[in-house]
Amino acid sequence: MRRKIIAGNWKMHLLADSAVGLAKSIAEDLKDVNEVDIAVFPPAPYLILMKEVLKGTNVKYGAQNMYFEEKGAFTGEISPGMLKDTGCTLVLIGHSERRKVFNEPDHLLNKKVKAALDFQIQPYFCIGETLEERESGELFNVIETQLKEGLAGINEKQLESVVIAYEPVWAIGTGVVATPDQAQEMHAFIRNWFLKNYSDKSAEDIRILYGGSIKPDNIKGLISLKDIDGGLVGGASLTAESFNQLVRYSR
Ligand code: PGA
């Protein structure tokens, strides 16, 4: 039985006080929840603050990005070891905003996934097609390529630590959520890709989150679907009220 995950991607929002306040409210309000994995991805400067705020709680935290090298002349980048120092245990890799705004290609994301695994940081590997790719009928090829290239060289044992987040680009921050049929169809396709390329067990065990305009009023229709194991939430993760509701609705 796969445990559901509700994860909040705070993107480039909040400042120290509001980030700490939000983390505290989430941890306090949800302390009785033990059926769902809860995670937040604050902006990098605030990760270190989470070490104290989320210590001993059921809320995990992670970074929104990471470089793959251990150290060196990479101005502006953050290494896996630095992330470990903040106490975080998760990292988003390949969010569509990293792919699109920062031009991160699949082969770079593959190095990041590997580096995260080497450092025992759990990668949430994000994939998703644009509207153009969906409308042209290329959507399954696009997703297949992202999986194949992003996870190249990852073995079955390592895969146990990977979480997949399917986020159709056209649904992110737009208010246009994928219909349950669209989401389930793609999640089933992704699970089947793991069946073909790994094993029955890998396909059965891997957790595949949906992301893109999740709100308290649409979560139930998504989370109840067979192949959807939770949500990666942007906008609705920025207030404790809506985020906590999402977690409660996912139980
Ligand atoms: P959204 O963002 O919930 O605001 O659409 C989701 C994401 O980008 O992870």
Side-chain angles (χ1 to χ4, degrees), residues 98-110:
R98 299 300 315 171
R99 292 175 184 268
K100 195 170 58 178
V101 186
F102 301 99
N103 295 316
E104 293 194 4
D106 291 317
H107 63 87
L108 171 68
L109 301 176
N110 180 240

Side-chain angles (χ1 to χ4, degrees), residues 9 11 95 97 167 171-174 211-215 232-236:
N9 173 10
K11 307 194 180 185
H95 187 279
E97 286 145 22
E167 300 198 295
I172 296 179
T174 56
S213 296
I214 292 183
K215 302 277 177 301
L232 181 56
V233 188

